Amino acid sequence: MLDFTSAPPIPQGEGHPHQPGPSVPAMPTPSRIIPAAPPGDQPELPLFAVNTSDPGEFAVLPGSHFGEFVGEPSDATPVDFPPAAPKQRRKRDLSLRAEPVLLASLTPPDPASLTAASIRETIETWTDLKPSQRRPLLTAVNHAAGLLAASRHLLGDCAPWSCAGLNRVLWRSGEPALGLKADPFRNMVSGLRTVLIRLGTHADSRYGENRLSPAWGALYDALPTSDRRKGLIRFFRYLTLEGVTPEMITAESINEFNAWCHAKILHKDPIGLSRRSASNWEDMRKTVPGWPQVELRRQGVRDQYALPFDIFPANFNADVERFLRNPAPMSETPVKAGNPYTSLALAKKQASEDEAAAESATGRKTPRSGRRARTKRTIETRRWQIQVSMTALVASGIPIEKVSSLSMLATPLEHPIAILDFHRERLLKRKLENGEEFTESELRSSTLKGIGELLRQIGKFEAGLSEGELDDLREYIAMVTPNEEFGMSEKNRIRLTALFEDPAYSMLLGLPAHWMKLAQEPGRDPYEAARLAMYGAAVEILLFLPLRRMNLLQLKLDSNLRRPSPNAFISEIYIPAHMVKNRATIRWPVEVASARVLETYISKYRPLLAKAGNDFLFPGIGDSHRDDAEFGDQLSKRVAHEIGVEFNCHLVRHFAVVRYLRKNPGAYEIAANILGHKSPQTTQKFYCGLEIDAAARHSNALLFEERRATKQIAVGAYHQRHRVRRKGGK
């Protein structure tokens, strides 16, 4: 049993009765003394203070970096701390003005030594809690113990009752494994967090209790929106706990925070938490005056391991720029036996070869012979693929100064093999770290496929590899290419099925109107109302025009939203071909009901979100649109929370097509127009069969309808036949 009998009162959390928080001790506490601050200076109050044997003593938990003292110095001044404010007020007042947090022990237990039984025994010794307060904590431990017993294969080398171990298990299979709904599951996590904080194995960082030091509190107050505050509060709390001031922060701080998120707190998405913190930090560094000018990029983001271009020879960089400026060569699509589109692919390939031969013979360009210019996004992707390829080549033992030309990435053949092996090993390591179960043949990814396609292009057009060498390279690329799936993935099928079940289906269709109504409620924060209206307008557009997320965010008031006259409603959404992935211009009519939603958002709510001169429909910081990843993440979470099933921006494209095909089975040409596909075959490839359920229901309904219509005829006919049989004696 662990000796934590002097633990402080339980902090209030979700799912627990209200009781005094850390700043209102339930039992008498000794006077807290801090050194008198020099005139004009605000004292730095320690966050992790502990009770000592002497009422006059005061110590700081090791690791807080706030310094410590024991005993009462001659220049100390007693501090009378005011009563704690209501919880809602504490959420907003996050500066470090409350009393120190009192913990039970200077030396937290080793998480590896914790067991469910020892934790339960320890909870029973917390006599400062009523039995009704200890009961939900014991329930949380029991639930977690069952989950850990069933999911030990996910732990890796993490201790079961450590934050790192629980993070691996809780959100990977927690709710389904335990059979808990969202609220009980959230209460279980809240109870575990409370237990671990009292034990000292969880950092004192939790919702509504993230008090900050004065320096970080000042930067927090300078953040322009509540979204930015939510994105940085946990990072600021970590820096406060570690005693890191704005002047002390380094580029490595974000990676240390990432490790802290994994090991010291319970969180559903510790990687995403550090990534969002880095993203918000970078945005504020560029826009907020006086912000610390230290660039933060989280380690593990895809370009962090890559070597910079400027350390490579000038000849190599010149080759890279020339390669990226040139039009894109045609990618090779492997033709597999049994593929229903084999004949079409072969016909297109033969047509291209015939036209190339005609061009060679006549010297004139044919309509299909010109290469398509690369888009900005494609150039960025290819640049990154070159960067990670040259990094892998250097890691294989090639000196940087020897990488003198782009063709070295593809010749000799050992180079592309080494590059693919390097990234395959990275994939293997990532799967092991995530506790995934896989076979050797499953070490494939679209990232590896993209790098392989780049190497093939370089080998063919830069290095001049022979057909035999290209065939060998294609074989290696095939080993890391995911098995091609014709049709929608099983995961998306399951998600779509849930979307078409009521009440989720009806709630999604009515969600824009619901959010607009909530935005107009009296007393609602104006900026939160504006965000609700913004997301409502986005869902409205996605429901009638299933755009790709980037196209949605790139919409501008004047150039993309068209009106028949200046004072008329929006009547059309227009997106030129160069902005669309498949180079097909989008012209989509807007019905009056949808136009009203958009006009309400634009006239009443958008001005609160947009800087003067920002013309984007969904404005972000400065003159840009909303951040792509952040917008998609927030919209997905908000919709999922409202309708109760999983949702994302791309899923709504599938939703729009399947909704149409359920009513019109086989109408792939119109479905292709809805998605902006050039060819109905592309649409049929992904959605073939998804309308079968609707077709079957339609067929069943037709059967019962005709059965009802012919019932009287059938009854009369059977009755007449029965009479004839009786007269005939049969």
Side-chain angles (χ1 to χ4, degrees):
M1 184 179 69
L2 305 172
D3 183 15
F4 286 98
T5 55
S6 59
I10 183 173
Q12 184 180 354
E14 296 171 348
H16 296 292
H18 177 77
Q19 62 275 337
S23 56
V24 187
M27 299 179 292
T29 58
S31 300
R32 286 162 293 280
I33 307 296
I34 63 172
D41 290 349
Q42 185 174 358
E44 288 273 356
L45 298 182
L47 290 171
F48 281 165
V50 297
N51 288 323
T52 58
S53 58
D54 187 341
E57 289 183 338
F58 173 24
V60 178
L61 189 69
S64 68
H65 303 293
F66 276 105
E68 63 179 60
F69 65 92
V70 178
E72 183 176 344
S74 57
D75 59 346
T77 303
V79 176
D80 294 325
F81 292 91
K87 186 170 184 180
Q88 183 176 4
R89 180 185 178 95
R90 291 204 309 273
K91 290 179 184 177
R92 298 182 180 181
D93 183 14
L94 297 172
S95 60
L96 188 58
R97 300 182 183 92
E99 66 178 56
V101 179
L102 301 181
L103 294 185
S105 171
L106 278 169
T107 55
D110 180 4
S113 67
L114 295 175
T115 64
S118 66
I119 294 174
R120 283 192 289 261
E121 291 180 16
T122 302
I123 292 174
E124 293 294 354
T125 67
W126 292 343
T127 55
D128 58 306
L129 303 181
K130 298 177 182 178
S132 61
Q133 294 172 324
R134 296 197 297 268
R135 195 172 301 120
L137 304 184
L138 293 169
T139 300
V141 171
N142 291 337
H143 279 317
L147 182 56
L148 286 168
S151 308
R152 287 202 170 264
H153 62 286
L154 298 176
L155 290 172
D157 57 354
C158 298
W161 290 97
S162 65
C163 289
L166 289 168
N167 281 336
R168 287 193 173 196
V169 170
L170 284 177
W171 286 280
R172 188 173 300 278
S173 57
E175 293 179 42
L178 291 170
L180 296 179
K181 294 184 178 180
D183 286 343
F185 182 81
R186 184 166 56 249
N187 291 339
M188 179 198 71
V189 174
S190 179
L192 286 175
R193 187 177 287 116
T194 298
V195 169
L196 296 179
I197 287 176
R198 290 180 66 108
L199 293 177
T201 59
H202 186 297
D204 188 31
S205 173
R206 57 199 185 278
Y207 182 72
E209 300 293 340
N210 289 314
R211 290 188 287 272
L212 306 177
S213 65
W216 291 114
L219 285 177
Y220 179 86
D221 292 339
L223 294 172
T225 66
S226 61
D227 284 343
R228 296 298 183 184
R229 296 187 186 102
K230 291 176 183 177
L232 283 168
I233 179 60
R234 197 67 69 94
F235 183 45
F236 283 6
R237 173 61 170 173
Y238 158 75
L239 295 169
T240 295
L241 295 178
E242 294 296 314
V244 178
T245 65
E247 295 77 20
M248 297 166 57
I249 196 167
T250 67
E252 195 60 27
S253 296
I254 194 67
N255 297 324
E256 295 167 354
F257 172 64
N258 181 53
W260 181 83
C261 292
H262 280 84
K264 293 298 183 182
I265 62 173
L266 293 182
H267 199 278
K268 180 179 181 178
D269 184 18
I271 295 176
L273 182 60
S274 58
R275 184 184 65 246
R276 290 188 295 272
S277 297
S279 175
N280 280 284
W281 175 279
E282 284 302 295
D283 288 341
M284 296 301 96
R285 184 174 67 87
K286 298 171 184 176
T287 57
V288 175
W291 198 269
Q293 293 301 302
V294 177
E295 184 177 4
L296 296 184
R297 291 191 178 276
R298 187 181 63 81
Q299 190 176 24
V301 177
R302 67 178 192 175
D303 62 346
Q304 285 304 301
Y305 69 93
L307 298 173
F309 280 100
D310 56 15
I311 68 173
F312 285 82
N315 290 343
F316 176 82
N317 285 295
D319 278 359
V320 170
E321 296 305 318
R322 176 181 50 77
F323 177 80
L324 295 175
R325 284 196 306 269
N326 287 341
M330 184 180 296
S331 298
E332 288 189 343
T333 303
V335 179
K336 299 183 179 180
N339 181 349
Y341 304 100
T342 296
S343 59
L344 178 63
L346 290 174
K348 287 185 175 180
K349 184 176 181 182
Q350 185 61 48
S352 298
E353 292 175 352
D354 292 344
E355 291 178 357
E359 178 188 348
S360 176
T362 63
R364 294 192 301 270
K365 292 282 186 180
T366 63
R368 292 175 52 88
S369 60
R371 292 180 180 178
R372 189 174 72 176
R374 289 187 174 96
T375 64
K376 179 180 178 181
R377 187 163 186 173
T378 300
I379 290 175
E380 292 174 353
T381 300
R382 290 296 187 222
R383 187 184 299 277
W384 174 79
Q385 290 170 342
I386 292 172
Q387 189 176 8
V388 297
S389 295
M390 67 190 193
T391 301
L393 191 60
V394 171
S396 70
I398 304 297
I400 292 177
E401 60 274 10
K402 296 292 185 181
V403 185
S404 57
S405 67
L406 187 61
S407 62
M408 286 192 65
L409 298 182
T411 183
L413 202 56
E414 288 77 11
H415 287 181
I417 295 173
I419 291 170
L420 293 175
D421 281 345
F422 173 86
H423 291 287
R424 194 167 180 269
E425 287 297 320
R426 284 178 52 83
L427 177 62
L428 171 63
K429 182 179 179 182
R430 186 162 60 249
K431 286 182 175 290
L432 291 174
E433 289 175 349
N434 293 337
E436 298 181 30
E437 297 179 357
F438 60 92
T439 63
E440 190 73 13
S441 62
E442 292 174 337
L443 288 175
R444 306 164 180 260
S445 73
S446 57
T447 299
L448 285 169
K449 176 185 176 183
I451 294 173
E453 170 59 21
L454 168 79
L455 297 174
R456 184 200 67 81
Q457 292 181 11
I458 293 174
K460 182 173 182 178
F461 299 103
E462 296 289 323
L465 296 181
S466 66
E467 278 303 315
E469 291 172 320
L470 286 173
D471 286 341
D472 291 340
L473 181 55
R474 291 187 189 102
E475 290 183 9
Y476 286 109
I477 296 172
M479 294 179 185
V480 297
T481 299
N483 294 324
E484 188 171 359
E485 294 183 5
F486 290 98
M488 188 176 296
S489 68
E490 186 62 25
K491 181 185 292 186
N492 279 334
R493 285 177 181 268
I494 294 172
R495 291 170 176 171
L496 275 175
T497 300
L499 276 181
F500 280 100
E501 296 290 336
D502 270 328
Y505 179 77
S506 301
M507 293 175 73
L508 178 58
L509 296 181
L511 187 56
H514 174 65
W515 275 347
M516 286 295 179
K517 183 178 179 180
L518 291 181
Q520 297 173 13
E521 288 181 344
R524 183 175 291 276
D525 178 76
Y527 290 98
E528 175 57 25
R531 282 190 292 272
L532 266 178
M534 176 185 70
Y535 290 121
V539 173
E540 180 70 20
I541 292 175
L542 290 173
L543 286 175
F544 72 77
L545 174 55
L547 293 171
R548 293 178 177 86
R549 188 172 67 194
M550 185 52 68
N551 286 137
L552 176 70
L553 292 175
Q554 289 174 341
L555 292 176
K556 290 189 174 183
L557 297 180
D558 296 331
S559 55
N560 301 117
L561 306 182
R562 293 187 165 181
R563 309 168 188 269
S565 62
N567 296 324
F569 276 0
I570 297 167
S571 61
E572 182 185 66
I573 292 180
Y574 166 77
I575 304 177
H578 72 271
M579 295 177 60
V580 184
K581 179 180 179 181
N582 61 3
R583 304 299 205 284
T585 299
I586 295 176
R587 289 186 177 90
W588 200 272
V590 180
E591 300 300 323
V592 174
S594 297
R596 286 197 179 99
V597 174
L598 299 181
E599 296 289 0
T600 301
Y601 160 66
I602 292 171
S603 61
K604 186 174 181 180
Y605 298 104
R606 184 184 171 279
L608 293 173
L609 304 173
K611 177 185 175 182
N614 188 321
D615 194 35
F616 285 101
L617 178 61
F618 303 110
I621 295 176
D623 297 329
S624 65
H625 54 69
R626 305 287 289 193
D627 179 76
D628 180 24
E630 182 182 12
F631 183 86
D633 180 66
Q634 286 297 314
L635 179 61
S636 301
K637 288 180 178 178
R638 286 174 180 258
V639 175
H641 177 75
E642 290 286 356
I643 68 177
V645 300
E646 191 171 356
F647 180 88
N648 60 61
C649 291
H650 197 75
L651 189 65
V652 79
R653 286 174 60 80
H654 302 316
F655 175 79
V657 173
V658 175
R659 180 165 53 87
Y660 180 80
L661 289 175
R662 283 162 67 97
K663 298 290 185 182
N664 305 274
Y668 290 110
E669 288 192 8
I670 298 179
N673 290 331
I674 293 175
L675 289 179
H677 289 166
K678 287 185 176 180
S679 170
Q681 284 84 359
T682 303
T683 309
Q684 185 175 3
K685 172 182 174 181
F686 280 93
Y687 299 100
C688 180
L690 287 175
E691 80 282 11
I692 289 178
D693 179 66
R697 291 178 185 274
H698 181 73
S699 176
N700 292 343
L702 182 62
L703 168 65
F704 289 109
E705 180 182 347
E706 293 181 346
R707 181 177 287 171
R708 285 192 298 269
T710 59
K711 182 176 180 180
Q712 295 301 323
I713 298 175
V715 170
Y718 281 121
H719 180 69
Q720 182 67 24
R721 185 176 179 81
H722 183 65
R723 290 180 59 188
V724 170
R725 284 182 176 178
R726 283 198 303 176
K727 287 181 180 181
K730 295 182 181 179

